[in-house]
């Protein structure tokens, strides 16, 4: 998978125009607030994902403009393809190879990418919901139908929670819980099974990268953690039965709390370096290296699943890493198409090959 051109019109602070990246490493350098993250964000949006900065569509339109257009030409599945998104006030249109799509998520799996930006450090620093979204997003890139499974689970969970809140006022409704518990346990077990399989593979690949980036000094481990005990997670049927029994047993607690206390919406990942939690004990460099290893592992798993090499988008990745870690990173990933931003071109002097772009006031040259 290779981006051959990128076109901007009225997008954030980027000047209207077109750029032609090389198939290897593309470095975008510039001082603060010139548009580097904006550029990475545009490519990420074109891969069918939502902004990693949580931006609303209206935020993407250049101040004072009516609409924004981003377009990408890429080579994938042995042919030239294009993806385009047009944002106008209150409306968004997405095109794949000139054909209008029902939603921008239709681009998921067409132009695959993994992204690292400083926001992604929240993967180790923040609470469990960040980690759940990471695994869910990563799985959706290789198995788009997982999105429907998650939506159905969320819908069922919301309905059960609404029912739990209604029961104290209408006790006769308690009989209807059975059906919801059954459905929720079966959907939940499916999600847990898919996530566990993914996390096992992610852990293998990420620990390999982390071993390299830390020159063999650190062992990274990623383990799926759930209120469904590990011995009950050997098959979806066992997870389902455990979850169903738990939902039935804890019914009164759930009614009192007004929410469901077991299921994939409560699960987490334990991320450890040399047996200690990275969140609690990891240094800044260790946390950054760990997130990077997870991101590169994510890329490797996409490549295995879709037989296409996803784009690697690295925003402001080099800061906080010592020179050995920087060197490992630059040389280990330069065999695929990479978009990397930094403040000074000197930071990437160890790179042998690639294309250098300077971003100045939104102008890319
Ligand atoms: P840093 O090195 O500090 O991370 P950066 O080059 O990554 O800087 P960006 O985050 O890309 O900077 O933002 C560049 C500028 O874009 C910001 O100063 C911001 O004010 C501007 N900007 C953001 N959204 C819009 C918009 N909708 N219209 C015009 N300008 C915008
Ligand atoms: Mg930035």
């Amino acid at each position: 998978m290779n981006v051959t051109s990128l076109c901007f019109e009225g997008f954030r602070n980027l000047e209207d125009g077109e750029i032609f990246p090389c198939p290897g490493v593309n470095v975008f350098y510039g001082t603060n607030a010139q548009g580097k993250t904006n550029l990475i964000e545009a490519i990420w949006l074109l891969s069918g994902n939502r902004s990693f900065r949580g931006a609303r569509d209206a935020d993407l339109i250049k101040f004072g403009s009516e609409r924004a257009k981003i377009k990408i030409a890429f080579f994938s599945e042995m042919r030239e393809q294009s993806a385009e998104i047009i944002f106008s006030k209150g409306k968004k249109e997405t095109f794949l190879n000139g054909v209008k799509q029902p939603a921008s998520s239709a681009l998921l799996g067409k132009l695959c990418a993994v992204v690292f930006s400083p926001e992604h450090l929240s993967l180790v620093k923040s609470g469990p919901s960040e980690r759940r979204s990471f695994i869910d997003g990563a799985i959706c890139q290789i198995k788009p139908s997982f999105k429907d499974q998650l939506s159905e689970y969320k819908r069922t969970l919301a309905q059960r929670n609404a029912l739990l809140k209604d029961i104290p006022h209408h006790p006769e409704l308690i009989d209807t819980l059975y059906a919801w518990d059954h459905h929720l346990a079966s959907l939940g077990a499916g999600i847990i099974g898919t996530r566990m399989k993914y996390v096992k593979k992610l852990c293998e690949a990420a620990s390999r990268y982390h071993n390299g980036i830390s020159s063999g000094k650190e062992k990274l481990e990623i383990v799926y953690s759930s209120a469904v005990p590990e011995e009950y997670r050997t098959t979806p049927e066992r997870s389902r039965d455990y979850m169903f029994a738990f939902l039935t047993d804890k019914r009164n607690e759930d009614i009192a709390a007004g929410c469901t206390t077991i299921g994939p919406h409560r699960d987490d990942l334990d991320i450890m370096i040399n047996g200690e939690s990275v969140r609690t004990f990891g240094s800044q460099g260790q946390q950054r290296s760990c997130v990077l290893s997870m991101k590169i592992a994510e890329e490797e798993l996409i490549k295995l699943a879709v037989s296409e090499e996803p784009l690697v988008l690295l925003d402001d990745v080099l800061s906080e890493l010592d020179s050995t870690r920087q060197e490992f990173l630059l040389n280990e990933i330069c065999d695929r198409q990479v978009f990397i931003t930094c403040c000074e071109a000197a930071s990437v002097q160890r790179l042998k090959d690639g294309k250098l772009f300077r971003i100045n006031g939104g102008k890319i040259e």
Side-chain angles (χ1 to χ4, degrees):
M1 195 168 293
N2 233 345
V3 173
T4 48
S5 97
L6 251 170
C7 216
F8 308 99
E9 225 181 275
F11 184 81
R12 294 232 193 230
N13 80 327
L14 297 178
E15 195 168 275
D16 293 359
E18 190 172 11
I19 58 164
F20 303 93
C22 75
V25 180
N26 296 275
V27 177
F28 297 83
Y29 72 97
T31 52
N32 295 138
Q34 301 306 310
K36 303 182 296 295
T37 304
N38 293 344
L39 174 117
I40 297 288
E41 186 182 35
I43 306 174
W44 180 242
L45 293 168
L46 284 160
S47 68
N49 289 287
R50 272 187 278 168
S51 164
F52 50 79
R53 318 200 230 196
R56 293 170 305 142
D57 289 346
D59 301 341
L60 306 170
I61 303 173
K62 186 172 283 187
F63 302 147
S65 294
E66 287 299 311
R67 60 171 225 153
K69 182 173 117 179
I70 45 179
K71 188 171 180 183
I72 202 162
F74 60 102
F75 193 81
S76 168
E77 299 169 302
M78 318 273 279
R79 63 197 168 106
E80 279 291 347
Q81 305 202 46
S82 70
E84 181 175 349
I85 309 180
I86 300 171
F87 305 89
S88 46
K89 300 259 152 76
K91 198 168 133 208
K92 177 160 74 171
E93 289 175 298
T94 303
F95 299 88
L96 176 66
N97 299 323
V99 179
K100 195 166 172 186
Q101 304 294 311
S104 59
S105 59
L107 300 176
L108 276 174
K110 297 295 173 193
L111 179 74
C112 294
V114 298
V115 65
F116 170 89
S117 86
E119 278 88 352
H120 292 104
L121 290 171
S122 62
L123 191 52
V124 289
K125 289 183 173 175
S126 300
S129 68
E130 296 284 335
R131 288 179 284 279
R132 286 194 296 269
S133 333
F134 165 70
I135 357 172
D136 291 342
I139 298 172
C140 285
Q141 293 228 46
I142 50 184
K143 190 181 167 198
S145 65
F146 190 60
K147 203 171 190 303
D148 301 332
Q149 250 176 289
L150 288 169
S151 308
E152 201 185 345
Y153 179 80
K154 267 188 208 150
R155 231 182 0 256
T156 312
L157 179 69
Q159 278 161 332
R160 184 181 191 266
N161 287 346
L163 184 59
L164 292 171
K165 289 188 184 101
D166 273 353
I167 289 173
H169 312 289
H170 304 280
E172 71 282 4
L173 288 175
I174 201 155
D175 293 338
T176 56
L177 255 184
Y178 175 86
W180 290 112
D181 290 0
H182 200 268
H183 194 41
L184 196 70
S186 139
L187 292 169
I191 291 171
I192 292 177
T194 307
R195 282 186 184 165
M196 275 178 50
K197 250 191 243 162
Y198 183 82
V199 170
K200 190 163 177 275
K201 287 192 217 149
L202 184 84
C203 176
E204 280 163 17
S207 39
R208 198 162 5 90
Y209 277 106
H210 198 90
N211 182 59
I213 206 168
S214 65
S215 313
K217 290 190 198 112
E218 295 171 7
K219 183 171 186 271
L220 174 68
E221 271 177 290
I222 308 164
V223 180
Y224 193 75
S225 123
S226 170
V228 178
E230 209 179 339
E231 62 269 31
Y232 287 94
R233 285 189 254 133
T234 45
T235 64
E237 291 74 24
R238 292 200 76 201
S239 298
R240 179 200 60 201
D241 294 347
Y242 183 91
M243 212 177 128
F244 180 70
F246 190 100
L247 290 169
T248 316
D249 279 359
K250 305 278 181 204
R251 195 169 259 196
N252 290 337
E253 281 98 318
D254 280 6
I255 292 171
C259 65
T260 304
T261 48
I262 192 172
H265 63 290
R266 292 266 175 136
D267 292 353
D268 197 359
L269 293 180
D270 290 333
I271 307 174
M272 289 158 296
I273 288 180
N274 297 339
E276 282 171 357
S277 157
V278 183
R279 183 184 178 194
T280 320
F281 299 107
S283 73
Q284 276 168 300
Q286 280 178 317
Q287 291 183 337
R288 192 170 276 251
S289 310
C290 162
V291 175
L292 273 167
S293 302
M294 288 170 75
K295 289 284 170 179
I296 299 171
E298 180 192 358
E299 190 258 9
E300 194 176 296
L301 296 185
I302 297 175
K303 184 173 69 188
L304 284 175
V306 301
S307 314
E308 291 272 357
E309 195 124 68
L311 312 176
V312 178
L313 312 175
L314 301 176
D315 186 26
D316 195 9
V317 75
L318 300 174
S319 48
E320 287 172 358
L321 294 185
D322 60 36
S323 55
T324 326
R325 288 183 192 232
Q326 285 188 0
E327 185 142 9
F328 175 85
L329 186 72
L330 290 170
N331 295 320
E332 271 309 296
I333 57 163
C334 59
D335 57 343
R336 60 207 87 182
Q337 195 173 34
V338 182
F339 294 80
I340 186 165
T341 73
C342 57
C343 286
E344 283 156 24
S347 316
V348 285
Q349 62 194 1
R350 292 179 199 87
L351 258 183
K352 293 184 194 88
D353 247 347
K355 202 165 174 177
L356 210 55
F357 297 84
R358 180 164 165 259
I359 304 197
N360 189 17
K363 189 172 165 50
I364 309 175
E365 40 199 34

